[in-house]
Amino acid sequence: MAPMTFIGSRPISRSDTLRHRLATLLDVDAADDAETLQKYSRDTSIFERTPALVVYPKNADDVSAVVRYVHEAKIHGDNISLAARSAGTDMSGGPLTDSVAMVFTKHMNHIGEIQTDLAVAEPGVYYRDFEKATIAHNGQILPSFPASRELCALGGMIANNSGGELTLEYGKTNRYVRELDVVLSDGSRATLHPLSQNELEKKKSEQTLEGSIYREIHELIKNNAEEIEKARPTVAKNSAGYALWNVYDKEQQTFDLTQLIAGSQGTLALITKAKIGLVHKKPHRAMLVIFLSDIDILPEVVHRVLKFNPESFESYDDQTFRLAVRFIPQIIGHFGIVQMLKLGLAFVPEILMVLFGGVPKLVLMAEFSDETPHDALFQAEAAQKSLHGLAVRTKIAKSETQAAKYWTIRRESFALLRKNLRGLHAAPFIDDIVVHPDDYPAFWPELNKLLSNYNLLYTIAGHAGEGNFHIIPLMDLTNPESKRAILELQPKVYELVAKYHGSIDGEHNDGIIRTPYLRIMFGEKMCELFAQVKKIFDPLNILNPGKKVGGTIADIERSILRR
């Protein structure tokens, strides 16, 4: 911390000085009252860090001015940094800081031009509003929305490289990033997009921080091409580390730094505007629901269903199923009265399953989309027939209305756990692992054996078609045994995932919770390259320090919730 300054005989804390200078000298909206600081001390992770100051930039000029101020203060010895924050739905502690939190949702929440297959927006735009606007304009969407689609914002989706229920067909957020306006760590501004070879050479000649970044990142990738390609994850999705393997596109012969910014959790640059690609979502769907009691046949089920190209292929386990039935009123309570009644009646079979002991180990939801209801139903029925001979129960939900209860359980599962279990906290610390579906038979018994060594109540939901599972233990974080279990179990699970060449982080990103363990997945050399990337973009380490690079197990220990 920087030393206190004095006015008369009254000491002024660093946050008072910051608020005064930023609010007056820079004319930015800032706050440091206790209620505001408390509000931004949490996301949806197991962590808490109270910022010294919260800043609400009104535009890119504000972002640039604040970053420049922090940059200069750091040069003069102040221990100060910035963490960008959108909606705060992050599960990794990514936007948490004990320094300056920059919150984009208050002012920088505007949607700009919407074209045929593109839309421009600021980072504080809530996804729900973005989707309404694009559908109204051209019937298209950004398909990489996560389960928190009603709560999350666009900046967080890009910063985490989010994925969700449609990723199986459409891919993650980085696929749709066309151009980013950013503020670099010295306060300068840049517009990033794919560059041709000639454009790259021109950028490299510039004597600016942006020019230096292009020169040094290009050199780093060229000199370590073999190591970088070897580190490229082979599973369906990944948000761990910096995606150096995505920067140079050999087919298009382009060099694209947006692919590093996507998924970087605000550690390399701050996004002020994004140009995002959109897709047409087919209007009709039918869902094949599979009730599975034998996990050993899961790979075969997945392989057979994937041959019919489902738009999404999701899952949730028996524990989630039972909790959903237990909390039906809370799950459907935020719908309108008619929808509440329909959903309430629709859950009667699930209630009977719980009462009479017929709950499956896993519920799989494969949804097929097409231009007509008939074609969507045809695909679902064909996939259903392909499962004949396997020990599964199946049913077809022929419309989105019939599928609504399954989607409600899947989408609401994490919020359900967070809000309704007194004394227990939904603890995402092994929550985003990815393995190859072929490895399920070997991987799952080893994982279950690991988990059985700890007295944990947990739920499993996720994206079965991509091998991406969210394991959420329910824990009393005030109990020292819970902290011990987290610190012991986490590296063991990640070592198991690495054994099967998976990813420790499919879509939730690294944050506080996974950064210390990136070496388990990538090894020392790649983590050294990640550190070099961070230094090239942010030499003074002012942008969200300790995330992606430099985080420690001690950071985890000191930030775990204690109440």
Side-chain angles (χ1 to χ4, degrees), residues 39 102 104 230 251 315 324 370 377 451:
K39 177 181 178 180
M102 182 174 281
F104 287 88
K230 189 171 67 174
E251 287 188 10
S315 66
D370 218 310
L377 180 59
L451 295 175

Side-chain angles (χ1 to χ4, degrees), residues 344-538:
L345 291 172
F347 273 108
V348 169
E350 281 68 31
I351 295 171
L352 294 175
M353 279 188 188
V354 171
L355 289 175
F356 295 103
V359 177
K361 287 293 292 180
L362 206 62
V363 177
L364 303 172
M365 306 149 49
E367 192 160 65
F368 300 84
S369 64
D370 218 310
E371 299 299 331
T372 69
H374 175 269
D375 289 340
L377 180 59
F378 179 81
Q379 292 179 68
E381 289 177 339
Q384 183 183 41
K385 289 175 184 176
S386 78
L387 299 178
H388 287 173
L390 296 179
V392 298
R393 288 180 290 148
T394 63
K395 67 180 294 186
I396 299 286
K398 299 181 181 180
S399 67
E400 291 189 52
T401 300
Q402 292 180 22
K405 69 176 177 181
Y406 300 104
W407 276 124
T408 300
I409 295 174
R410 172 64 187 90
R411 290 168 178 162
E412 297 292 322
S413 58
F414 182 62
L416 178 75
L417 301 179
R418 290 180 62 230
K419 295 175 182 177
N420 292 296
L421 293 168
R422 291 183 180 178
L424 294 178
H425 190 92
F429 67 96
I430 48 173
D431 55 294
D432 195 26
I433 58 175
V434 191
V435 293
H436 298 90
D438 282 346
D439 290 326
Y440 287 166
F443 174 79
W444 277 107
E446 290 192 59
L447 178 65
N448 287 331
K449 184 177 179 181
L450 267 180
L451 295 175
S452 69
N453 293 325
Y454 298 85
N455 185 27
L456 293 177
L457 172 65
Y458 58 90
T459 64
I460 302 176
H463 314 284
E466 299 162 291
N468 181 201
F469 292 95
H470 306 311
I471 304 170
I472 311 289
L474 310 174
M475 308 178 82
D476 175 6
L477 294 176
T478 65
N479 186 339
E481 285 300 302
S482 294
K483 180 187 287 188
R484 181 189 66 82
I486 289 170
L487 295 175
E488 284 187 9
L489 182 57
Q490 196 176 3
K492 293 177 183 178
V493 170
Y494 292 162
E495 284 164 2
L496 178 62
V497 171
K499 173 183 173 181
Y500 287 97
H501 309 288
S503 171
I504 65 175
D505 168 23
E507 57 195 13
H508 294 169
N509 222 287
D510 300 320
I512 298 169
I513 194 65
R514 275 176 285 273
T515 294
Y517 300 108
L518 286 174
R519 280 174 172 77
I520 294 175
M521 177 176 169
F522 289 109
E524 293 291 336
K525 176 60 176 176
M526 276 306 297
C527 286
E528 288 172 12
L529 293 181
F530 295 156
Q532 289 179 42
V533 170
K534 171 65 172 172
K535 192 167 185 179
I536 289 168
F537 274 88
D538 184 17

Side-chain angles (χ1 to χ4, degrees), residues 160-359:
N160 277 339
N161 192 16
S162 292
E165 62 198 44
L166 298 183
T167 304
L168 179 64
E169 178 165 345
Y170 295 104
K172 295 179 65 183
T173 301
N174 69 299
R175 182 184 292 187
Y176 300 94
V177 175
R178 302 290 181 262
E179 184 175 281
L180 296 175
D181 284 3
V182 300
V183 172
L184 301 176
S185 66
D186 65 349
S188 61
R189 293 163 66 173
T191 297
L192 308 179
H193 55 83
L195 300 180
S196 67
Q197 188 62 40
N198 287 339
E199 291 171 326
L200 173 61
E201 291 305 317
K202 185 176 179 180
K203 277 291 181 187
K204 287 166 60 178
S205 70
E206 295 178 6
Q207 298 307 305
T208 60
L209 177 58
E210 182 186 6
S212 174
I213 288 170
Y214 274 107
R215 287 192 297 275
E216 295 186 43
I217 293 295
H218 181 247
E219 191 74 9
L220 182 146
I221 291 174
K222 184 176 69 173
N223 291 342
N224 298 278
E226 185 177 343
E227 187 75 27
I228 290 168
E229 187 56 36
K230 189 171 67 174
R232 181 192 294 270
T234 58
V235 285
K237 54 171 69 165
N238 173 72
S239 281
Y242 292 126
L244 285 162
W245 41 83
N246 286 339
V247 175
Y248 177 61
D249 187 324
K250 290 182 181 178
E251 287 188 10
Q252 300 296 321
Q253 293 288 298
T254 56
F255 194 85
D256 186 5
L257 288 184
T258 69
Q259 296 302 300
L260 271 187
I261 303 302
S264 66
Q265 287 197 304
T267 61
L268 303 181
L270 302 184
I271 300 165
T272 58
K273 188 168 67 176
K275 184 181 290 185
I276 298 294
L278 305 172
V279 300
H280 166 71
K281 187 181 178 185
K282 295 172 186 175
H284 300 284
R285 30 200 46 79
M287 178 186 285
L288 169 62
V289 185
I290 305 162
F291 302 99
L292 186 66
S293 294
D294 181 4
I295 299 297
D296 288 344
I297 65 171
L298 179 59
E300 183 62 25
V301 170
V302 169
H303 279 304
R304 293 191 189 188
V305 172
L306 285 179
K307 289 178 182 178
F308 297 89
N309 300 314
E311 181 180 68
S312 61
F313 198 178
E314 302 291 286
S315 66
Y316 55 87
D317 71 339
D318 52 349
Q319 193 70 272
T320 306
F321 188 105
R322 290 188 176 90
L323 286 170
V325 170
R326 178 178 168 187
F327 294 114
I328 286 173
Q330 290 91 329
I331 289 178
I332 66 177
H334 62 278
F335 291 98
I337 186 67
V338 174
Q339 183 72 351
M340 283 177 62
L341 290 172
K342 285 182 178 179
L343 277 174
L345 291 172
F347 273 108
V348 169
E350 281 68 31
I351 295 171
L352 294 175
M353 279 188 188
V354 171
L355 289 175
F356 295 103
V359 177

Side-chain angles (χ1 to χ4, degrees), residues 84-104:
R85 182 184 178 113
S86 291
T89 57
D90 188 281
M91 297 171 70
S92 74
L96 301 184
T97 180
D98 50 17
S99 195
V100 179
M102 182 174 281
V103 179
F104 287 88

